[in-house]
Amino acid sequence: LGFIGDLPLLGHNIRFDYSFLKQAAVNQKMEFECEAVDTLKVCRKLMPEQEKKNLGNACTYYKIEQPLAHRAEADALSAHFLYQKLVALYGEEQPELFVTTPLNCRMKRQATGNEKAKRILAGFIKMS
């Protein structure tokens, strides 16, 4: 969270990644809200309907190399290169696609040790 600061996030299906960051913040009793650009949403608007829109297919469609797909850092770089390509191709004519939007995601608060123990005991009682 210190690394991100007030910067917007960028990713392909960014809500997935954001949910982990948000839950980590909740677990640390910290606030975390941010804005983001989701390249998946952009691809859904720009790519032909019949094309799959996952990160690998979007990179293939826009001729972006992905040497280490499905690795966190490599996928983050791929999303970055995809974003750069999309902005270069469509940024002037459709700038509204590249505006950051707020991410809203409610998370359950972290359970305390006592609450966890109560749930475990309740599960044992039901099994009896």
Side-chain angles (χ1 to χ4, degrees), residues 13-78:
N13 192 16
I14 193 63
R15 283 190 156 303
F16 178 79
D17 300 301
Y18 175 71
S19 68
F20 290 100
L21 295 169
K22 180 71 173 182
Q23 189 62 59
V26 167
N27 291 349
Q28 297 296 317
K29 297 179 176 58
M30 298 173 71
E31 292 291 322
F32 179 60
E33 301 295 331
C34 68
E35 293 192 345
V37 174
D38 190 343
T39 54
L40 175 60
K41 285 185 177 182
V42 177
C43 287
R44 285 179 176 155
K45 297 202 185 265
L46 297 174
M47 290 174 64
E49 188 177 320
Q50 70 273 14
E51 294 288 334
K52 290 184 179 179
K53 312 303 187 289
N54 64 44
L55 182 59
N57 287 346
C59 285
T60 300
Y61 183 83
Y62 287 106
K63 298 177 177 48
I64 297 165
E65 287 188 39
Q66 270 195 299
L68 294 172
H70 304 298
R71 294 283 166 262
E73 186 176 2
D75 283 357
L77 285 170
S78 294

